[in-house]
Amino acid sequence: MADITKTNRRDFLKIAATATGGLFIGFYWSSCDSPKMKVLSTEEVLSKAHNFNSFLSISPDGDVVIYSPNPELGQNIKTSFPMVVAEELDADWSKVRVLQAPLDNDKFDRQLTGGSGAMPHSWERLRKAGATARHLLLTAAANQLEVDMASLSTEKGMIYHKASGKKLTYGEVVMAASELEAPEEVLLKDPKDFTIIGTPIKNVDNDDMFTGKPLFGLDFYREGMLHAMIQRPPFGMKIKSVDDASARSVSGVTDVIQYDNFVAIVGTSTWPLMKAKRRLKVEYESDGNVESTFDHDKIMKELLDSKDARVMRQDGNVDEAFKNAAKVITSEYQCPFLPHAPMEPMNFFAHVKGEEVELIGPTQTPDAARMQTAQLLGIPKENITVDITRLGGGFGRRLRADYVLDAVEVSRRVNAPVKVTWTREDDMTGGAYRPAVRYRFSAALDAAGNMIGFKLRGVGLNAGNSVRQDNFPSGAVPNLLIENINYNSSVTTNAWRAPITNFLAYAEQSFLDEVALEAQKDPVKFRLDLLEQAKSSPTGSVNYDVDRMIGVIKDAAERSNWGKDSNVKQGFSVYFSHRSYVAQVANIEMINNQPVLKKIVASTDCGIVVNPTGANHQVRGGIVDGMGHAMFGNLVFENGLPKQKNFDSYRLIRMKEVPEIDVNYVDSGYDPTGLGEPALPPTGGAIANAIFAATGRRLRSQPFIEQKEFSDLNLEIRRG
């Protein structure tokens, strides 16, 4: 049924219409009460957009404009946001356009991209903006036609009075609508009446991307700007001496600057800077904080037995459960550091003009860039503007502002506008990586094969909390202990797509398969039994939706014909992250005694799917990302630098290695939840469990291709 939602009149503003005016609905993103309303001409909307949080404008010719505040890095938010507004507005989608908003904390709340949280945060606000505008337009039309508003209907930017056959465009009533009082309540559509939401719509930037128009940070150019590249030290090292004579001699190089622990080469274009950078002679020495060894595997193995573990969750009597267990299963799983490796390396433009700064470029956290710039220069943040370009990938790397500060520092020192560009080698060797982690799991079974005890201890290198203590199977096991150990490494780390769960899910789901095997139970039924336990007799808090997880498990099992074809060896995995639930089944067939990964079936519950086109890309992309990094990705450090410096030595998944992916959705009736990250975590576990089902070989470390259990399998991947 339709939803009546309250609005707050104090959130609305109104000014008189002008001869060329239009209806403007702006809304405050940190308030759930209502949008703000203001009448502006189309020109005024475009020129004064910085005065508002986010807004919907309707011009007299029926054009609809919405500013998208969140950075777009491929998660499709720049398309799905206006879809939601247009749905409640009943707009003509062909007349809807969206513009990227600059940073403005006074007008936007949560103006960042991370945690798959943009749509869940903005869903209701976007709907209210569209519904409020539609209500005002209908009221104005009813007054003009002298009919009851209830007798009017809307469709594709038109208002119809079916009894008389009369119709009006939105543009024809927009001026009158602007003079009306904002409603106390607005009626939101029943989801069954959606005509735009749920339909496949192409990315609004597609045409510009396909025709090579400048959208990304690397595309940005301004006449007179300089370029810069930065030489960074290995981890745990500091500069001892710099010989830049040869670098300065390269034509096109205008300056070489040393600041803090970096050396910047400045010039007229990137090519001479790349040549000059290779000529730099920099000698380093220890900064005194480096670990004695970069053997991270050894460090984590030793720390697993540390007595300094922090208890994150404890339910029941774990010692008693393991003491009385009929069987105890223990395994360890490990993952390496990984770079984010987005297609577009780090880059940013800065122009420091005394007490004012202009920043332009790809960032997931524009406010962090502004705040850190203000701190670096000792100026008020209000003196700094940030314009956001489209991001050529991020995956968490662009949550940091280090590359922004590079541009700021160089611009300040050369007193000119500067664009800093990282090479791929800079990106791989100077990045902030996914933390390396090692887990030890233990499970206690009773004589009937029931899991009565569960222990998890995690060790992470700069991982913070490397366990997610409230995720499944917490709440489903009567005796449970989860502990965490964090080691402060000199290797910098950062959130990496589906932070921590990107590996934890693989390790946990692989271990649960080990336990199911020892319990002599089907892996899917084993998980369903645990979830029924969490539902009927939970232990402690249950911080995931049991029914939604059961829903995706059953859907994936049914769609994959789980266990029904003896010629297909299957691996199962399910995980909850970023408010969404994803279950996956990997199918392997033995062809000429060779395992062939042919298909991955995915069932996702992310609530209402706003745009199936974008959603499918997110799920498929997450699976490909999860598969590629589980099988191939690795960084090995030597003297503070990774050996893998470019894609010739850092193995990425190839197009021919992507199997058939069957994407499905479970409609649980919930509002949209996260989708940019949740499909990645289950993938590694599904594939590893399928490999075990086919070959009897258990893979407990990533990347798979470097494990001795995998090296002679010669796994092949084919489309179905």
Short mmCIF file of all heavy atoms in Angstrom, two decimals, residues 583-641:
data_model
loop_
_atom_site.label_atom_id
_atom_site.label_comp_id
_atom_site.label_asym_id
_atom_site.label_seq_id
_atom_site.Cartn_x
_atom_site.Cartn_y
_atom_site.Cartn_z
N ALA A 583 24.11 -15.48 -1.29
CA ALA A 583 24.51 -16.89 -1.29
C ALA A 583 24.99 -17.24 -2.68
O ALA A 583 24.44 -16.78 -3.69
CB ALA A 583 23.33 -17.78 -0.90
N GLN A 584 26.04 -18.06 -2.74
CA GLN A 584 26.61 -18.44 -4.03
C GLN A 584 26.91 -19.93 -4.08
O GLN A 584 27.29 -20.53 -3.07
CB GLN A 584 27.90 -17.64 -4.30
CG GLN A 584 27.67 -16.15 -4.47
CD GLN A 584 28.95 -15.38 -4.69
OE1 GLN A 584 29.99 -15.95 -5.06
NE2 GLN A 584 28.91 -14.07 -4.48
N VAL A 585 26.75 -20.48 -5.26
CA VAL A 585 27.10 -21.87 -5.53
C VAL A 585 28.03 -21.89 -6.74
O VAL A 585 27.70 -21.34 -7.79
CB VAL A 585 25.87 -22.74 -5.81
CG1 VAL A 585 26.29 -24.17 -6.17
CG2 VAL A 585 24.94 -22.76 -4.60
N ALA A 586 29.20 -22.49 -6.57
CA ALA A 586 30.15 -22.65 -7.68
C ALA A 586 30.04 -24.07 -8.20
O ALA A 586 30.05 -25.03 -7.41
CB ALA A 586 31.57 -22.35 -7.21
N ASN A 587 29.95 -24.21 -9.51
CA ASN A 587 29.83 -25.52 -10.15
C ASN A 587 31.13 -25.88 -10.86
O ASN A 587 31.61 -25.13 -11.72
CB ASN A 587 28.70 -25.52 -11.18
CG ASN A 587 27.33 -25.46 -10.54
OD1 ASN A 587 27.18 -25.69 -9.34
ND2 ASN A 587 26.32 -25.16 -11.33
N ILE A 588 31.67 -27.03 -10.52
CA ILE A 588 32.86 -27.57 -11.17
C ILE A 588 32.51 -28.92 -11.79
O ILE A 588 31.88 -29.76 -11.15
CB ILE A 588 34.03 -27.71 -10.18
CG1 ILE A 588 34.61 -26.34 -9.83
CG2 ILE A 588 35.13 -28.61 -10.75
CD1 ILE A 588 35.78 -26.38 -8.86
N GLU A 589 32.92 -29.12 -13.01
CA GLU A 589 32.77 -30.41 -13.66
C GLU A 589 34.15 -30.99 -13.95
O GLU A 589 35.07 -30.26 -14.30
CB GLU A 589 31.98 -30.26 -14.97
CG GLU A 589 30.54 -29.78 -14.76
CD GLU A 589 29.77 -29.67 -16.06
OE1 GLU A 589 30.12 -30.40 -17.01
OE2 GLU A 589 28.84 -28.86 -16.12
N MET A 590 34.28 -32.30 -13.79
CA MET A 590 35.53 -32.98 -14.12
C MET A 590 35.47 -33.41 -15.57
O MET A 590 34.64 -34.24 -15.95
CB MET A 590 35.75 -34.17 -13.20
CG MET A 590 35.87 -33.80 -11.73
SD MET A 590 37.27 -32.71 -11.35
CE MET A 590 38.65 -33.81 -11.71
N ILE A 591 36.32 -32.82 -16.39
CA ILE A 591 36.37 -33.13 -17.82
C ILE A 591 37.77 -33.64 -18.13
O ILE A 591 38.75 -32.91 -17.95
CB ILE A 591 36.03 -31.88 -18.67
CG1 ILE A 591 34.62 -31.38 -18.32
CG2 ILE A 591 36.15 -32.20 -20.15
CD1 ILE A 591 34.22 -30.12 -19.04
N ASN A 592 37.86 -34.92 -18.55
CA ASN A 592 39.16 -35.57 -18.79
C ASN A 592 40.03 -35.49 -17.55
O ASN A 592 41.22 -35.17 -17.62
CB ASN A 592 39.86 -34.93 -19.99
CG ASN A 592 39.09 -35.10 -21.28
OD1 ASN A 592 38.43 -36.13 -21.50
ND2 ASN A 592 39.15 -34.10 -22.15
N ASN A 593 39.38 -35.76 -16.40
CA ASN A 593 40.06 -35.75 -15.10
C ASN A 593 40.62 -34.39 -14.73
O ASN A 593 41.53 -34.27 -13.90
CB ASN A 593 41.19 -36.79 -15.07
CG ASN A 593 40.66 -38.20 -15.17
OD1 ASN A 593 39.64 -38.54 -14.55
ND2 ASN A 593 41.34 -39.05 -15.94
N GLN A 594 40.07 -33.35 -15.33
CA GLN A 594 40.53 -31.99 -15.04
C GLN A 594 39.35 -31.17 -14.52
O GLN A 594 38.28 -31.17 -15.13
CB GLN A 594 41.07 -31.34 -16.32
CG GLN A 594 41.52 -29.90 -16.13
CD GLN A 594 42.02 -29.30 -17.43
OE1 GLN A 594 42.41 -30.02 -18.35
NE2 GLN A 594 42.01 -27.98 -17.51
N PRO A 595 39.51 -30.49 -13.37
CA PRO A 595 38.40 -29.69 -12.85
C PRO A 595 38.16 -28.45 -13.69
O PRO A 595 39.09 -27.70 -13.99
CB PRO A 595 38.87 -29.32 -11.43
CG PRO A 595 40.36 -29.37 -11.50
CD PRO A 595 40.69 -30.44 -12.51
N VAL A 596 36.92 -28.23 -14.06
CA VAL A 596 36.56 -27.08 -14.89
C VAL A 596 35.49 -26.27 -14.16
O VAL A 596 34.38 -26.76 -13.91
CB VAL A 596 36.02 -27.52 -16.27
CG1 VAL A 596 35.64 -26.29 -17.09
CG2 VAL A 596 37.06 -28.35 -17.00
N LEU A 597 35.83 -25.04 -13.77
CA LEU A 597 34.86 -24.15 -13.13
C LEU A 597 33.99 -23.55 -14.22
O LEU A 597 34.46 -22.75 -15.03
CB LEU A 597 35.59 -23.05 -12.35
CG LEU A 597 34.71 -21.99 -11.68
CD1 LEU A 597 33.76 -22.61 -10.67
CD2 LEU A 597 35.56 -20.91 -11.03
N LYS A 598 32.72 -23.91 -14.24
CA LYS A 598 31.86 -23.53 -15.36
C LYS A 598 30.84 -22.46 -15.01
O LYS A 598 30.38 -21.73 -15.88
CB LYS A 598 31.14 -24.76 -15.92
CG LYS A 598 32.08 -25.81 -16.48
CD LYS A 598 31.36 -26.86 -17.28
CE LYS A 598 30.88 -26.31 -18.61
NZ LYS A 598 30.28 -27.35 -19.47
N LYS A 599 30.45 -22.38 -13.73
CA LYS A 599 29.33 -21.49 -13.44
C LYS A 599 29.32 -21.10 -11.96
O LYS A 599 29.70 -21.89 -11.10
CB LYS A 599 28.01 -22.18 -13.80
CG LYS A 599 26.77 -21.33 -13.70
CD LYS A 599 25.55 -22.12 -14.19
CE LYS A 599 24.29 -21.28 -14.20
NZ LYS A 599 23.12 -22.04 -14.70
N ILE A 600 28.88 -19.88 -11.70
CA ILE A 600 28.60 -19.43 -10.33
C ILE A 600 27.17 -18.90 -10.30
O ILE A 600 26.80 -18.04 -11.11
CB ILE A 600 29.58 -18.34 -9.88
CG1 ILE A 600 31.00 -18.91 -9.78
CG2 ILE A 600 29.16 -17.75 -8.53
CD1 ILE A 600 32.06 -17.88 -9.41
N VAL A 601 26.38 -19.45 -9.41
CA VAL A 601 25.00 -19.01 -9.22
C VAL A 601 24.95 -18.14 -7.97
O VAL A 601 25.42 -18.54 -6.91
CB VAL A 601 24.05 -20.21 -9.06
CG1 VAL A 601 22.62 -19.74 -8.81
CG2 VAL A 601 24.10 -21.10 -10.30
N ALA A 602 24.38 -16.95 -8.10
CA ALA A 602 24.31 -16.02 -6.97
C ALA A 602 22.87 -15.61 -6.71
O ALA A 602 22.14 -15.26 -7.64
CB ALA A 602 25.16 -14.78 -7.25
N SER A 603 22.47 -15.65 -5.46
CA SER A 603 21.17 -15.15 -5.03
C SER A 603 21.40 -14.05 -4.01
O SER A 603 22.08 -14.26 -3.00
CB SER A 603 20.32 -16.27 -4.42
OG SER A 603 19.97 -17.22 -5.40
N THR A 604 20.83 -12.89 -4.28
CA THR A 604 21.09 -11.69 -3.48
C THR A 604 19.80 -11.11 -2.94
O THR A 604 18.82 -10.97 -3.67
CB THR A 604 21.80 -10.63 -4.34
OG1 THR A 604 23.05 -11.14 -4.80
CG2 THR A 604 22.04 -9.35 -3.55
N ASP A 605 19.81 -10.77 -1.66
CA ASP A 605 18.72 -10.01 -1.06
C ASP A 605 19.29 -8.65 -0.66
O ASP A 605 19.95 -8.53 0.37
CB ASP A 605 18.14 -10.73 0.16
CG ASP A 605 16.98 -9.97 0.80
OD1 ASP A 605 16.73 -8.82 0.40
OD2 ASP A 605 16.34 -10.54 1.71
N CYS A 606 19.06 -7.68 -1.52
CA CYS A 606 19.51 -6.30 -1.25
C CYS A 606 18.31 -5.38 -1.16
O CYS A 606 18.41 -4.18 -1.43
CB CYS A 606 20.46 -5.83 -2.34
SG CYS A 606 19.75 -5.85 -3.99
N GLY A 607 17.15 -5.94 -0.80
CA GLY A 607 15.94 -5.14 -0.77
C GLY A 607 15.47 -4.83 -2.18
O GLY A 607 15.75 -5.56 -3.13
N ILE A 608 14.76 -3.73 -2.32
CA ILE A 608 14.27 -3.32 -3.64
C ILE A 608 15.44 -3.04 -4.57
O ILE A 608 16.37 -2.31 -4.21
CB ILE A 608 13.38 -2.06 -3.52
CG1 ILE A 608 12.10 -2.40 -2.73
CG2 ILE A 608 13.03 -1.50 -4.88
CD1 ILE A 608 11.26 -1.18 -2.40
N VAL A 609 15.42 -3.61 -5.74
CA VAL A 609 16.45 -3.37 -6.75
C VAL A 609 16.04 -2.14 -7.56
O VAL A 609 15.05 -2.18 -8.29
CB VAL A 609 16.64 -4.58 -7.67
CG1 VAL A 609 17.65 -4.28 -8.76
CG2 VAL A 609 17.07 -5.80 -6.86
N VAL A 610 16.77 -1.05 -7.40
CA VAL A 610 16.40 0.20 -8.06
C VAL A 610 16.61 0.10 -9.57
O VAL A 610 15.73 0.41 -10.36
CB VAL A 610 17.19 1.38 -7.48
CG1 VAL A 610 16.90 2.67 -8.25
CG2 VAL A 610 16.85 1.57 -6.00
N ASN A 611 17.78 -0.33 -9.97
CA ASN A 611 18.11 -0.42 -11.39
C ASN A 611 18.74 -1.78 -11.67
O ASN A 611 19.90 -2.01 -11.33
CB ASN A 611 19.07 0.70 -11.79
CG ASN A 611 19.39 0.72 -13.28
OD1 ASN A 611 18.92 -0.14 -14.03
ND2 ASN A 611 20.18 1.68 -13.70
N PRO A 612 18.02 -2.72 -12.28
CA PRO A 612 18.57 -4.05 -12.53
C PRO A 612 19.87 -4.03 -13.32
O PRO A 612 20.75 -4.86 -13.09
CB PRO A 612 17.46 -4.75 -13.31
CG PRO A 612 16.21 -4.06 -12.90
CD PRO A 612 16.60 -2.62 -12.70
N THR A 613 20.01 -3.08 -14.24
CA THR A 613 21.24 -3.00 -15.02
C THR A 613 22.43 -2.72 -14.11
O THR A 613 23.44 -3.43 -14.13
CB THR A 613 21.14 -1.90 -16.09
OG1 THR A 613 20.10 -2.24 -17.00
CG2 THR A 613 22.44 -1.77 -16.86
N GLY A 614 22.33 -1.69 -13.30
CA GLY A 614 23.41 -1.36 -12.38
C GLY A 614 23.61 -2.44 -11.34
O GLY A 614 24.75 -2.76 -10.98
N ALA A 615 22.52 -3.01 -10.84
CA ALA A 615 22.62 -4.05 -9.82
C ALA A 615 23.35 -5.28 -10.35
O ALA A 615 24.23 -5.84 -9.68
CB ALA A 615 21.23 -4.44 -9.33
N ASN A 616 23.00 -5.70 -11.56
CA ASN A 616 23.67 -6.85 -12.15
C ASN A 616 25.17 -6.61 -12.31
O ASN A 616 25.99 -7.50 -12.08
CB ASN A 616 23.05 -7.20 -13.50
CG ASN A 616 21.65 -7.76 -13.36
OD1 ASN A 616 21.23 -8.14 -12.29
ND2 ASN A 616 20.92 -7.81 -14.46
N HIS A 617 25.52 -5.38 -12.70
CA HIS A 617 26.93 -5.06 -12.84
C HIS A 617 27.64 -5.13 -11.49
O HIS A 617 28.79 -5.58 -11.41
CB HIS A 617 27.09 -3.66 -13.43
CG HIS A 617 26.65 -3.57 -14.86
ND1 HIS A 617 26.42 -2.36 -15.49
CD2 HIS A 617 26.39 -4.52 -15.78
CE1 HIS A 617 26.06 -2.59 -16.74
NE2 HIS A 617 26.02 -3.88 -16.94
N GLN A 618 26.97 -4.68 -10.44
CA GLN A 618 27.59 -4.72 -9.11
C GLN A 618 27.81 -6.15 -8.64
O GLN A 618 28.87 -6.48 -8.10
CB GLN A 618 26.72 -3.96 -8.11
CG GLN A 618 26.70 -2.45 -8.30
CD GLN A 618 28.08 -1.85 -8.24
OE1 GLN A 618 28.79 -1.98 -7.25
NE2 GLN A 618 28.49 -1.19 -9.31
N VAL A 619 26.81 -6.99 -8.82
CA VAL A 619 26.94 -8.39 -8.38
C VAL A 619 28.00 -9.11 -9.21
O VAL A 619 28.88 -9.78 -8.67
CB VAL A 619 25.58 -9.12 -8.47
CG1 VAL A 619 25.76 -10.60 -8.15
CG2 VAL A 619 24.58 -8.50 -7.50
N ARG A 620 27.92 -8.98 -10.53
CA ARG A 620 28.90 -9.65 -11.38
C ARG A 620 30.31 -9.12 -11.10
O ARG A 620 31.27 -9.89 -11.02
CB ARG A 620 28.55 -9.44 -12.85
CG ARG A 620 27.28 -10.14 -13.29
CD ARG A 620 26.94 -9.82 -14.74
NE ARG A 620 25.63 -10.32 -15.09
CZ ARG A 620 25.36 -11.55 -15.48
NH1 ARG A 620 26.36 -12.42 -15.57
NH2 ARG A 620 24.14 -11.94 -15.78
N GLY A 621 30.41 -7.79 -10.97
CA GLY A 621 31.72 -7.21 -10.69
C GLY A 621 32.29 -7.67 -9.36
O GLY A 621 33.49 -7.95 -9.25
N GLY A 622 31.43 -7.77 -8.34
CA GLY A 622 31.89 -8.25 -7.05
C GLY A 622 32.37 -9.68 -7.11
O GLY A 622 33.38 -10.05 -6.49
N ILE A 623 31.67 -10.52 -7.86
CA ILE A 623 32.06 -11.92 -7.99
C ILE A 623 33.38 -12.05 -8.74
O ILE A 623 34.28 -12.80 -8.33
CB ILE A 623 30.94 -12.73 -8.69
CG1 ILE A 623 29.73 -12.85 -7.76
CG2 ILE A 623 31.44 -14.11 -9.12
CD1 ILE A 623 28.51 -13.47 -8.41
N VAL A 624 33.51 -11.31 -9.84
CA VAL A 624 34.76 -11.36 -10.60
C VAL A 624 35.92 -10.85 -9.75
O VAL A 624 37.01 -11.43 -9.73
CB VAL A 624 34.63 -10.53 -11.90
CG1 VAL A 624 35.98 -10.41 -12.60
CG2 VAL A 624 33.61 -11.17 -12.84
N ASP A 625 35.68 -9.77 -9.01
CA ASP A 625 36.71 -9.21 -8.12
C ASP A 625 37.08 -10.22 -7.04
O ASP A 625 38.27 -10.47 -6.76
CB ASP A 625 36.18 -7.93 -7.49
CG ASP A 625 37.28 -6.97 -7.06
OD1 ASP A 625 38.45 -7.24 -7.36
OD2 ASP A 625 36.95 -5.95 -6.43
N GLY A 626 36.07 -10.82 -6.41
CA GLY A 626 36.33 -11.79 -5.35
C GLY A 626 37.06 -13.01 -5.85
O GLY A 626 37.99 -13.53 -5.20
N MET A 627 36.66 -13.48 -7.01
CA MET A 627 37.30 -14.66 -7.60
C MET A 627 38.75 -14.36 -7.99
O MET A 627 39.67 -15.12 -7.68
CB MET A 627 36.51 -15.10 -8.83
CG MET A 627 37.14 -16.23 -9.60
SD MET A 627 36.15 -16.64 -11.06
CE MET A 627 37.24 -17.84 -11.84
N GLY A 628 38.94 -13.22 -8.67
CA GLY A 628 40.27 -12.88 -9.15
C GLY A 628 41.28 -12.73 -8.04
O GLY A 628 42.40 -13.25 -8.11
N HIS A 629 40.89 -12.04 -6.97
CA HIS A 629 41.84 -11.82 -5.89
C HIS A 629 42.04 -13.06 -5.03
O HIS A 629 43.13 -13.28 -4.50
CB HIS A 629 41.41 -10.62 -5.05
CG HIS A 629 41.66 -9.32 -5.74
ND1 HIS A 629 40.72 -8.68 -6.50
CD2 HIS A 629 42.78 -8.55 -5.81
CE1 HIS A 629 41.23 -7.57 -7.00
NE2 HIS A 629 42.48 -7.46 -6.59
N ALA A 630 41.01 -13.89 -4.88
CA ALA A 630 41.18 -15.13 -4.12
C ALA A 630 42.12 -16.08 -4.85
O ALA A 630 42.94 -16.77 -4.23
CB ALA A 630 39.83 -15.80 -3.91
N MET A 631 42.04 -16.10 -6.16
CA MET A 631 42.83 -17.06 -6.93
C MET A 631 44.23 -16.55 -7.26
O MET A 631 45.18 -17.34 -7.31
CB MET A 631 42.09 -17.43 -8.21
CG MET A 631 40.79 -18.16 -7.97
SD MET A 631 40.03 -18.80 -9.48
CE MET A 631 41.21 -20.08 -9.91
N PHE A 632 44.38 -15.23 -7.48
CA PHE A 632 45.63 -14.76 -8.07
C PHE A 632 46.36 -13.66 -7.29
O PHE A 632 47.58 -13.56 -7.38
CB PHE A 632 45.36 -14.21 -9.49
CG PHE A 632 44.62 -15.16 -10.38
CD1 PHE A 632 43.36 -14.83 -10.87
CD2 PHE A 632 45.16 -16.39 -10.72
CE1 PHE A 632 42.68 -15.70 -11.70
CE2 PHE A 632 44.49 -17.27 -11.55
CZ PHE A 632 43.23 -16.93 -12.05
N GLY A 633 45.63 -12.80 -6.57
CA GLY A 633 46.23 -11.59 -6.02
C GLY A 633 47.21 -11.84 -4.89
O GLY A 633 46.90 -12.58 -3.94
N ASN A 634 48.38 -11.18 -4.96
CA ASN A 634 49.36 -11.34 -3.89
C ASN A 634 50.37 -10.20 -3.92
O ASN A 634 50.72 -9.70 -4.98
CB ASN A 634 50.11 -12.67 -4.04
CG ASN A 634 50.90 -13.04 -2.80
OD1 ASN A 634 50.65 -12.50 -1.72
ND2 ASN A 634 51.84 -13.96 -2.92
N LEU A 635 50.79 -9.76 -2.74
CA LEU A 635 51.90 -8.83 -2.60
C LEU A 635 52.91 -9.45 -1.63
O LEU A 635 52.54 -9.84 -0.51
CB LEU A 635 51.45 -7.48 -2.05
CG LEU A 635 50.81 -6.47 -3.00
CD1 LEU A 635 50.56 -5.16 -2.26
CD2 LEU A 635 51.65 -6.22 -4.23
N VAL A 636 54.15 -9.54 -2.06
CA VAL A 636 55.23 -10.05 -1.21
C VAL A 636 56.23 -8.92 -1.01
O VAL A 636 56.70 -8.33 -1.99
CB VAL A 636 55.92 -11.27 -1.84
CG1 VAL A 636 57.07 -11.73 -0.96
CG2 VAL A 636 54.91 -12.39 -2.06
N PHE A 637 56.55 -8.61 0.24
CA PHE A 637 57.40 -7.46 0.54
C PHE A 637 58.86 -7.88 0.74
O PHE A 637 59.16 -8.93 1.31
CB PHE A 637 56.90 -6.74 1.78
CG PHE A 637 55.68 -5.90 1.52
CD1 PHE A 637 54.42 -6.48 1.46
CD2 PHE A 637 55.80 -4.54 1.31
CE1 PHE A 637 53.30 -5.71 1.22
CE2 PHE A 637 54.68 -3.76 1.05
CZ PHE A 637 53.43 -4.36 1.00
N GLU A 638 59.73 -7.01 0.27
CA GLU A 638 61.17 -7.20 0.45
C GLU A 638 61.79 -5.84 0.69
O GLU A 638 61.67 -4.94 -0.15
CB GLU A 638 61.76 -7.87 -0.80
CG GLU A 638 63.22 -8.25 -0.65
CD GLU A 638 63.71 -9.03 -1.86
OE1 GLU A 638 63.90 -8.41 -2.93
OE2 GLU A 638 63.88 -10.25 -1.72
N ASN A 639 62.40 -5.68 1.85
CA ASN A 639 63.03 -4.40 2.21
C ASN A 639 62.05 -3.23 2.12
O ASN A 639 62.40 -2.13 1.68
CB ASN A 639 64.26 -4.13 1.33
CG ASN A 639 65.33 -5.18 1.50
OD1 ASN A 639 65.58 -5.66 2.62
ND2 ASN A 639 65.98 -5.55 0.40
N GLY A 640 60.81 -3.47 2.52
CA GLY A 640 59.84 -2.39 2.61
C GLY A 640 59.10 -2.08 1.33
O GLY A 640 58.31 -1.14 1.30
N LEU A 641 59.35 -2.86 0.25
CA LEU A 641 58.66 -2.63 -1.01
C LEU A 641 58.08 -3.94 -1.53
O LEU A 641 58.70 -5.00 -1.38
CB LEU A 641 59.61 -2.05 -2.07
CG LEU A 641 59.98 -0.58 -1.95
CD1 LEU A 641 61.03 -0.24 -2.99
CD2 LEU A 641 58.76 0.31 -2.13
#
